[in-house]
Amino acid sequence: MCDKRLCSCRKKSAAMAVDPATLEKLEEGYDLLSTSNSPSLLKKYLTREIFDQLKKRKTSYGSTLLHVIQSGLKNLDSGVGIYAPDPEAYTLFAELFDPIIEDYHGGFTSKDIHPLPDWGSPADMGNLDPSGEYVISTRVRTGRSLADFPFNPSMTESQYEEIQTQVVEAFGKLEGELKGQYYPLTGMQKDVQKKLIDDHFLFKEGDRFLQAAEACKYWPTGRGIYLNDAKTFLVWCNEEDHLRIISMQEGGDLGEVYERLVRAVTSLERKLTFSRNERIGYLNFCPTNLGNAVRASVHAKLPKLSANLKKFEEIAGMYNLQVRGTRGEHEEGEGGVFDISNKRRMGLTEYEALIEMRNGVLEMIRLEKES
Ligand code: ARG
């Protein structure tokens, strides 16, 4: 077993060179990517020069450039295309991560420092749509990783289990409205699983971006979901991130949803130590989930605005919002209902990210009313 953070096995793997088979895969993948017309940020920023600089590097967890880019190589239609196999990867492969982070998070440069956490006052958020005409549901989530563990592709089976054990213990301390039950995926009845997925609570297995990133190893070991009794608060364990902490409910009461999330994260923090970097904030598997790692979203019906999808996305972009389908991030919208969320998570506090989303959504509702 090599769970211990600095066991001799980790030092050994760092000292060992990147093996020839990995280098060969890297070269093949690079040739394919560079001659493709992939829209990914990976393709945009992985120049031959940077590729040559990085291809022989290895973190102390044994992670290589192949771990970083394999998802984008296999899925040429990726928007981003890279993941961090462990917390060190963000610094060891900074020449690739930094420009991608800057591009995705609206200009957060390699010189910028992410602000200290600040949840602000949740009550300020109010209700985005008291009439209930436009906003169907509201959700705020954040990602967290446990300090001193690698991320998916470099995790051992026992590390998946160890993380689950630690977080289940922390769930046991949640109080009041946050009280609930943990459902491990291992041994879960098929009908229970199907119901949880159909109700949009549980993640599905088999996202091709995650699979190609080697994020689904040892499935379903260590994976599961915590759900409070009212089903307004949930935590995903070891899906894409060690933890995805989620607060959601029907309607547009962003204040209530956000307040619940803040309470939950604050409570979990008393028991768990989260991985955070002084410059880039909370560390997670995907570079889109750094900084405050908060994604605040609504499912909203804006039929007039969304009639022209290209224009709709343009308007969203003006407010730093991202538009997705409602059945998952790489899916289409259904019946004129879209998932609208803040896109930037770096260079602004939790509170500021929420305000950015709030102002943008309010503006889009105003435009819908006008058109
Ligand atoms: N790797 C995928 C892509 O590049 C997803 C990126 C963002 N989403 C996420 N769930 N991390 O398109």
Side-chain angles (χ1 to χ4, degrees):
M1 262 221 341
C2 48
D3 287 352
K4 287 298 156 247
R5 325 302 174 227
L6 282 164
C7 73
S8 60
C9 140
R10 250 182 75 187
K11 281 190 215 127
K12 248 186 274 154
S13 74
M16 270 175 355
V18 172
D19 64 85
T22 302
L23 281 173
E24 200 176 310
K25 274 193 202 150
L26 274 168
E27 293 291 350
E28 265 171 32
Y30 185 78
D31 284 348
L32 214 78
L33 177 75
S34 56
T35 51
S36 75
N37 53 7
S38 167
S40 68
L41 296 178
L42 169 65
K43 153 103 198 224
K44 187 166 167 191
Y45 293 107
L46 189 64
T47 60
R48 182 80 224 183
E49 201 187 348
I50 291 188
F51 177 78
D52 285 335
Q53 267 172 38
L54 303 185
K55 67 186 181 191
K56 296 200 171 147
R57 294 189 188 168
K58 203 180 212 184
T59 72
S60 76
Y61 293 92
S63 314
T64 66
L65 181 64
L66 188 61
H67 290 113
V68 176
I69 68 175
Q70 58 191 352
S71 183
L73 295 181
K74 218 172 194 164
N75 295 288
L76 291 171
D77 60 341
S78 293
V80 182
I82 64 170
Y83 293 92
D86 62 54
E88 277 172 34
Y90 284 111
T91 33
L92 191 67
F93 300 102
E95 290 91 333
L96 178 59
F97 275 105
D98 284 348
I100 290 183
I101 286 171
E102 179 171 346
D103 194 314
Y104 182 89
H105 294 278
F108 183 89
T109 73
S110 58
K111 304 270 175 304
D112 285 328
I113 297 178
H114 182 75
L116 288 171
D118 179 12
W119 296 106
S121 156
D124 297 354
M125 299 300 158
N127 192 322
L128 298 174
D129 177 30
S131 75
E133 253 173 274
Y134 305 97
V135 176
I136 294 165
S137 62
T138 304
R139 179 183 191 266
V140 186
R141 65 86 165 150
T142 189
R144 287 288 184 276
S145 307
L146 299 197
D148 301 324
F149 283 94
F151 304 145
N152 293 298
S154 298
M155 272 164 71
T156 62
E157 184 160 23
S158 59
Q159 283 174 323
Y160 277 104
E161 282 165 342
E162 198 185 319
I163 288 176
Q164 179 173 250
T165 306
Q166 284 194 28
V167 301
V168 168
E169 204 179 307
F171 295 153
K173 302 279 185 279
L174 292 171
E175 290 175 342
E177 187 200 4
L178 302 175
K179 266 213 192 94
Q181 199 187 330
Y182 182 72
Y183 301 84
L185 230 59
T186 303
M188 186 183 280
Q189 300 284 330
K190 281 280 166 251
D191 55 328
V192 175
Q193 184 170 354
K194 183 171 182 310
K195 173 117 181 57
L196 288 172
I197 292 176
D198 290 348
D199 291 344
H200 295 274
F201 294 128
L202 184 60
F203 46 85
K204 292 181 237 177
E205 179 185 350
D207 174 292
R208 66 186 160 93
F209 300 89
L210 290 179
Q211 262 174 357
E214 278 185 84
C216 308
K217 281 196 296 189
Y218 316 116
W219 197 279
T221 299
R223 275 77 169 193
I225 178 189
Y226 176 88
L227 203 57
N228 74 341
D229 299 332
K231 300 192 164 65
T232 51
F233 167 65
L234 47 147
V235 187
W236 292 351
C237 180
N238 285 323
E239 187 244 10
E240 174 170 330
D241 291 311
H242 297 167
L243 290 175
R244 281 288 177 93
I245 308 166
I246 303 161
S247 169
M248 61 191 222
Q249 69 191 44
E250 280 173 20
D253 198 336
L254 183 62
E256 208 170 288
V257 173
Y258 182 50
E259 191 274 330
R260 186 185 304 119
L261 181 85
V262 175
R263 206 155 18 97
V265 176
T266 313
S267 170
L268 291 172
E269 241 161 17
R270 287 192 206 111
K271 289 277 143 213
L272 304 165
T273 308
F274 297 134
S275 184
R276 195 172 188 285
N277 171 289
E278 276 185 7
R279 195 180 76 74
I280 60 176
Y282 287 105
L283 298 181
N284 286 302
F285 185 40
C286 181
T288 61
N289 288 318
L290 298 169
N292 56 53
V294 166
R295 192 172 95 90
S297 63
V298 289
H299 277 187
K301 211 179 180 103
L302 304 168
K304 291 183 194 145
L305 269 195
S306 62
N308 180 341
L309 212 57
K310 201 164 171 316
K311 184 122 184 287
F312 187 49
E313 282 180 354
E314 247 172 56
I315 298 174
M318 276 164 32
Y319 299 101
N320 288 323
L321 298 180
Q322 188 183 55
V323 174
R324 299 178 174 184
T326 48
R327 306 222 99 232
E329 78 170 299
H330 301 284
E331 309 289 335
E332 304 281 302
E334 290 174 303
V337 180
F338 290 86
D339 177 300
I340 306 169
S341 61
N342 63 299
K343 182 169 183 237
R344 301 196 296 151
R345 323 200 203 289
M346 298 184 79
L348 72 179
T349 65
E350 290 73 4
Y351 182 74
E352 288 163 346
L354 263 281
I355 292 288
E356 182 153 282
M357 173 269 194
R358 177 181 184 274
N359 292 346
V361 170
L362 287 177
E363 192 52 26
M364 289 179 87
I365 294 177
R366 197 185 64 74
L367 291 171
E368 174 74 16
K369 279 186 188 160
E370 254 178 20
S371 41

